[in-house]
Amino acid sequence: MGQGDRILVTGASGGVGSAVVQLAKVRGAEVIAITSASKAQSILDLGATKTIVRGDGVLKELGK
């Protein structure tokens, strides 16, 4: 993963997921993270470009 890549991180508020968000952001990737509504801002603060609340449809949020 690197510059120009877009990644989707499921479970972004967990330890491994939040590390992936940070590493991907440092490498220049666009990070879209799935998390709970209560943790969305924390994940954005870690570097995610966008969050999707768990339970919302990914295709509805992102399109095809």
Side-chain angles (χ1 to χ4, degrees):
M1 92 191 96
Q3 190 70 34
D5 290 335
R6 179 183 301 160
I7 68 163
L8 177 67
V9 180
T10 60
S13 59
V16 173
S18 62
V20 170
V21 169
Q22 293 174 73
L23 289 171
K25 185 65 176 182
V26 166
R27 291 180 173 211
E30 177 186 358
V31 181
I32 302 166
I34 298 177
T35 189
S36 64
S38 65
K39 295 183 180 175
Q41 187 58 54
S42 296
I43 301 304
L44 291 169
D45 292 344
L46 290 177
T49 305
K50 176 180 178 73
T51 60
I52 298 173
V53 175
R54 192 178 306 112
D56 289 351
V58 174
L59 286 179
K60 180 181 111 181
E61 292 293 321
L62 300 178
K64 289 186 177 184

